[in-house]
Every structure is written in C-alpha cells, then in structure tokens.
Amino acid sequence: MSGDLLDLALRLPHVEYIEEDSAVFAQSIPWNLERILSSRHQAGAYGASSGGGLVEVYLLDTSIQSGHREIEGRVTVTDFVNVPEEDGTRFHRQASKCDSHGTHLAGVVSGRDAGVAKGTSLRSLRVLNCQGKGTVSGTLVGLEFIRKSQKAQPTGPLVVLLPLAGGYSRALNAACQHLAKVGVVLVAAAGNFRDDACLYSPASAPEVITVGATNAQDQPVSLGTLGTNFGRCVDLFAPGEDIIGASSDCSTCFVSQSGTSQAAAHVAGIVAMMLTAEPELNLAELRQKLIHFSAKGVINEAWFPEDQRVLTPNLVATLPPSTHRAGGRLLCRNVWSAYSGPTRMATAVARCAPDEELLSCSSFSRTGKRRGERIEVRAGRRVCLAHNAFGGKGVYAVARCCLLPQANCSVHTAPPGAGMETRVHCQQQGHVLTGCSSHWEATDPGVYWWPVQRPGQPDQCVGHGDASVHVSCCHAPGLECRVREHGIPGRAEQVTVACEEGWTLTSCSALPGASLVLGAYAMDDTCVVRTRDISAAGRTCEEATVAAAICCRSWPSQHASGEHQ
C-alpha cells in the first residue's frame, strides 16, 4: 500500500488503526524438530534448551537481519566482512536477498519458535555476498578472526558453523584443523552437488563434523538434478528439506529453505545443547555421542551410487536425551580411508582422531584381491594400513576408533609360521584382545584366509600359516571383551553377527568358506562380512563363511573395582 493510500485509509470514519499483515501457523512441531527427537524423548514434547549458557555459535555466511523476532537479542553482528563483488552489472543488492541465507540459518540454530537450541548466542561473520558467493581467502580470514577473538577474550565452548562448500582446499582444511586443535568445534555442510563430499572443503577436513541432508522420510535430499553430497567424509545426516525458519523479508516472516546448510545448522544446534549440558566434551566425544544417539539404518541407500553405499554412514542426527551421558558405554566408530589405487603395492591408511584409540583394523576390496591389513605406528600414533594385491583395483582401510580413557594399548605380531596356522596372543598381563588382523608380503597370496579369534582362546588370533598375524591388545579400567561368531554354509553374499545389548563391536573379521571374502567391517555394533559368489581356492562349496566379532564393554571405574575385588 502506498503512503497516499495509507493516509487516505486512516481518514475513513470507521478505521481506528492499520496493521501490517503477517503469517499465522498451525501450532504443531515442525517436522524437522520432531525428527531430531529420539525415541528416548517423550513423544510430542520438544525439550529444546531455553538458553545457551556460555556456548557461542559463530556463523560464517551472508549478512543477517538481526532484528527478526526469531533471533532478536540472540545475534551479535560482528564488523567482519570479507566478500567478493557480485557478478553481473545488473545485480541489485536488495537487503532481503542479501540477508536471506544467513537469517534463515540463524533461526534454525537458535530461533525462538523454529530453532533447535532456542536462545543460544550467535555471532555473525559475513563471508558470502548477496549472491551467496565467497572465497577461500575470505573464509580463512574469518577463521583467523575467530581465533584472535577467542585468544583476546576467552569464553565458554565455541561452535563454528560453516554452511558453505567449495572445491577441495588444502589451505581451508588446514585452517579448520588448526582451530579444532584449540578446542573449537566446527560443523560444515557436506555440499549440494550429489557428489563425494571428500572432493569439497571444508567438508573433507577430518576435524570437521560434516553433515548431509535428509527429508521428512529420512531419504537423501534431491535438489533438482543435484542433491546432498555423500561418502566417507560425511559423519551423519540431518533434516535439510523444506525447513521452516526466519525470513529476511520482514521481522515476523518465515520461509522454507532446503540444503545441507540447513542440515548442518541442525547439528550445530544439537552440539550447542550438548556443550551446554557438558561443557568439558571434546570433539572426539561429541562426534562419538552424535553417532551413538543417531537414528541408524533408516536411509534408503539405493539413492547413493553403488560404490559409495558402503562408505556413506546410514545415520540421521537426533537430539540426545537431557541425561545423555553414555553411562560408561564404550563408544566406537568407523573411519574409512581413501581408496588406495590399483597399483600392485598400493596401500590405504585410515587414522583415528587424537583423542580416540585404534582398537582394530580391517580392509575392503571390491574385487576381493587384497593382501590384508595391519596396525603400524607412525609419528607416535597408531594407524590402520590396508594392502592391495596383484590384479586388484584398490583397497580401503577401515579403522575402528573408540573412546577408551586411560587405555594402554599395544600391537603384537607373529611372522609366518612353519605350519598351516599362525598364532599370536596378548603378551602383557591384564591386557585383553580387542582386534585381529593379518597381511601377506607376497603381492599375490593366492589364498585369502583372514585371522579370527577362536572360542576358547580369548587372548589370541589364528591366521593362515603364510601370513603375518597381528593382535591389538589393551588394558583399561573395567574393560572386558568376548567373541561372537556366526557362519553360513555354502555360498553367501553377506554374513553378519551382532554384539549383545550393552556390548560394543571393536573388531570384525572373517573365516572364508565357499565364497571369496571382499572384506569385513562394522555397521554400528554388527560385524558385516561381504563376499563374492565364486569358489575360493582349495575350499568346498559346503564350507561355512564365518563372521567373527570381538565385543567389548567398559564398566565405570567404581563398578569395575567392585567387580574385581
């Protein structure tokens, strides 16, 4: 309405006042907020925090309309601006367009009505222009601004939300690593290119919690011909389609947006709430707990390219219950390496985070041609190595990385023996076996018999006589482990065995039967052995393929001391 019409309307005899139109909404929980509630919460009661405590979230994005009722009083717009010029001579900088992306994400994180961590404080840095475009250099300067601000005026826990993606950048990943080392938690969008997230930054940085996007049916988000990124660099998924949040069109407007930026904002909000409850949590503990409390196995993996399905986590983030301590539960996750490449002596390396223990090492090859795996110490840290074989097209190393405070772990190796089997056991008193692995020095071993822990021999691994066999052994307060096996006679594409309730899978290995083993790896606390339906050399069609799991639990110190008195 023009000013003249407004003035005329106010003069009409029956018009007392005129109010700007605004939106009204049905009073139900938005689907995305309902989705991040786990079954541990009471149905229909969204228990988000009403205050963020000392936790601050830094948002690197576009500018923000800080006066929006959703985020008013919660956002501090810093004076940091580092953006490129907009493309095109006809581009007009409309304020509502320039603020759109950042305002929406700020609302998703801490909005009064539609936010995950209601009331959490945000600080806004502008690194994207009105077209949503920025530069690596601008983002680097923004991260340095955060580091200097933290150093000049230390506060409580910091979360940095990076709802942006560009091509792989070693410099940007290194900056994320540097910030993570000083205790900052970084959460990044996986990217909207329907591609491997490892090809993009900051999504590919191991120190970043990388988030893909799912819809209301827990399926990967499609955005036209594109969609959410996927692969081994993604840690988990979160709601990212038709997300209702603050709109920059007016101070009371709302809008729906989609993408991995919105998904990352959900996880940033969850992390802020976790840190409010437990400010002492480090990055490794946060990541492990996010994985532990996520909804598992709900995504239809057929959406992903076939070669990415085994690498992509089938996890959708949920909000941990208000008492979200794991109660002494041993928490573990998989870390997949990059593909080794097809050369005869190619190796793949998988590494755990600094605050995690590597409890076992396995490998996977799409052709089944691999020379095994082993744990090796490099630069004072244990790493998982996998070896390609002659004629193979490459191999993945799979590290089983766990939170095991006060652990003392070691690896013991037995070289190839003179007989049909090679055996090795834990040599130190009080140490328990957490993993078995083996490898052949020959580039074409010709037979693929992987080591297993046998029932009745809880402290040793048994492997082929021509292979070196390795055991991973650990001592930690209250740690105990046991073996579980399951076999299927004849040919089988997959064999699984799961740990019992309360026990955590620390190692997964296979004894091949009539099928060629492609590899063994963990899916949550289930050991999965993948095979190809061809007869293995020297084996009959009736021999069973066996999945062997080592399952461990770690009692709290008080319980453990009482148990062993």
Side-chain angles (χ1 to χ4, degrees):
M1 181 181 291
S2 68
D4 291 340
L5 283 176
L6 182 62
D7 184 61
L8 180 62
L10 285 170
R11 295 181 183 182
L12 294 174
H14 300 295
V15 176
E16 184 175 343
Y17 62 89
I18 294 176
E19 179 181 310
E20 183 181 2
D21 194 15
S22 61
V24 294
F25 298 92
Q27 294 303 290
S28 59
I29 301 174
W31 81 263
N32 51 301
L33 298 187
E34 188 173 25
R35 185 62 194 89
I36 65 173
L37 292 175
S38 70
S39 59
R40 302 171 182 86
H41 289 82
Q42 183 179 356
Y46 179 58
S49 169
S50 59
L54 296 177
V55 181
E56 282 192 330
V57 177
Y58 277 82
L59 172 60
L60 282 74
D61 204 272
T62 63
S63 55
I64 286 179
Q65 187 185 123
S66 58
H68 194 287
R69 69 176 300 275
E70 273 285 276
I71 56 176
E72 188 175 13
R74 295 166 172 80
V75 176
T76 299
V77 179
T78 69
D79 59 1
F80 182 88
V81 178
N82 192 313
V83 297
E85 285 293 320
E86 286 79 10
D87 298 329
T89 56
R90 288 187 166 186
F91 184 81
H92 297 289
R93 295 181 181 84
Q94 295 178 346
S96 62
K97 299 298 181 184
C98 294
D99 299 346
S100 175
H101 197 252
T103 302
H104 188 266
L105 295 180
V108 173
V109 174
S110 70
R112 179 185 305 175
D113 297 318
V116 175
K118 305 180 190 300
T120 296
S121 298
L122 287 98
R123 290 184 177 272
S124 164
L125 280 68
R126 190 179 178 211
V127 299
L128 301 179
N129 66 18
C130 296
Q131 294 173 319
K133 180 180 178 181
T135 62
V136 169
S137 61
T139 307
L140 290 173
V141 178
L143 294 176
E144 180 61 20
F145 176 89
I146 295 171
R147 177 70 184 104
K148 288 181 177 178
S149 300
Q150 181 203 40
K151 195 172 182 179
Q153 190 174 0
T155 59
L158 293 185
V159 180
V160 173
L161 174 56
L162 295 163
L164 44 85
Y168 180 86
S169 167
R170 183 177 175 181
L172 183 51
N173 286 4
C176 292
Q177 180 187 46
H178 179 71
L179 209 53
K181 282 183 177 179
V182 296
V184 177
V185 179
L186 297 100
V187 181
N192 300 331
F193 304 100
R194 199 164 187 166
D195 200 359
D196 183 357
C198 294
L199 301 176
Y200 301 87
S201 289
S204 55
E207 295 77 15
V208 167
I209 298 173
T210 300
V211 189
T214 48
N215 62 21
Q217 289 74 45
D218 292 323
Q219 300 313 306
V221 167
S222 296
L223 300 166
T225 59
L226 302 177
T228 180
N229 283 356
F230 42 74
R232 66 182 182 87
C233 289
V234 174
D235 289 290
L236 74 173
F237 290 79
E241 183 177 76
D242 292 333
I243 306 302
I244 297 295
S247 168
S248 58
D249 289 341
C250 73
S251 62
T252 58
C253 296
F254 286 79
V255 69
S256 171
Q257 293 187 12
S258 302
T260 55
S261 292
Q262 281 65 35
H266 281 79
V267 173
I270 292 173
V271 167
M273 293 181 66
M274 293 173 69
L275 287 171
T276 298
E278 296 182 80
E280 73 282 0
L281 290 177
N282 60 35
L283 172 60
E285 292 167 332
L286 282 165
R287 195 195 310 260
Q288 289 275 10
K289 290 191 176 190
L290 280 169
I291 291 171
H292 176 68
F293 288 108
S294 64
K296 300 174 177 68
V298 296
I299 300 173
N300 181 6
E301 296 177 341
W303 189 91
F304 304 119
E306 186 175 359
D307 64 344
Q308 293 288 332
R309 292 171 192 170
V310 70
L311 305 175
T312 303
N314 199 320
L315 306 168
V316 177
T318 66
L319 187 68
S322 56
T323 53
H324 67 259
R325 297 175 189 270
R329 174 73 182 264
L330 179 62
L331 301 181
C332 297
R333 68 181 180 112
N334 285 349
V335 175
W336 287 73
S337 71
Y339 210 37
S340 69
T343 60
R344 179 182 300 185
M345 301 300 290
T347 60
V349 183
R351 295 176 172 85
C352 297
D355 293 309
E356 295 173 329
E357 286 288 343
L358 174 59
L359 295 193
S360 71
C361 174
S362 61
S363 60
F364 180 80
S365 168
R366 302 190 193 286
T367 63
K369 293 186 176 182
R370 56 198 173 99
R371 293 188 293 118
E373 65 282 328
R374 61 194 172 98
I375 295 176
E376 182 180 282
V377 177
R378 291 187 176 182
R381 294 285 303 171
R382 303 198 307 161
V383 300
C384 172
L385 295 179
H387 303 269
N388 192 38
F390 177 75
K393 295 182 179 179
V395 67
Y396 291 101
V398 190
R400 191 65 171 162
C401 304
C402 306
L403 295 179
L404 196 60
Q406 306 175 50
N408 178 16
C409 299
S410 58
V411 177
H412 305 283
T413 300
M420 290 293 295
E421 295 179 343
T422 301
R423 296 172 178 266
V424 61
H425 64 276
C426 295
Q427 299 173 4
Q428 295 167 278
Q429 187 175 3
H431 281 60
V432 296
L433 189 150
T434 63
C436 298
S437 58
S438 71
H439 79 283
W440 283 260
E441 295 297 338
T443 57
D444 184 14
V447 62
Y448 301 90
W449 178 15
W450 308 105
V452 293
Q453 181 192 28
R454 305 305 299 172
Q457 301 170 327
D459 65 341
Q460 73 172 268
C461 293
V462 182
H464 194 276
D466 293 332
S468 295
V469 179
H470 317 274
V471 291
S472 175
C473 307
C474 291
H475 173 76
L479 180 65
E480 60 176 319
C481 300
R482 61 171 61 164
V483 63
R484 285 177 65 85
E485 290 189 355
H486 176 63
I488 298 179
R491 297 182 175 91
E493 291 186 0
Q494 182 171 292
V495 183
T496 64
V497 60
C499 295
E500 296 173 293
E501 181 67 28
W503 294 75
T504 301
L505 182 69
T506 64
S507 177
C508 177
S509 53
L511 182 64
S515 301
L516 177 66
V517 173
L518 305 182
Y521 52 87
M523 287 189 66
D524 194 22
D525 290 319
T526 298
C527 172
V528 178
V529 174
R530 292 270 300 275
T531 66
R532 282 183 65 185
D533 189 16
I534 60 173
S535 296
R539 297 191 176 274
T540 70
C541 63
E542 297 304 317
E543 287 187 84
T545 300
V546 176
I550 299 178
C551 304
C552 301
R553 62 183 178 184
S554 178
W555 292 102
S557 299
Q558 305 91 321
H559 190 163
S561 59
E563 283 282 304
H564 298 291
Q565 285 179 352

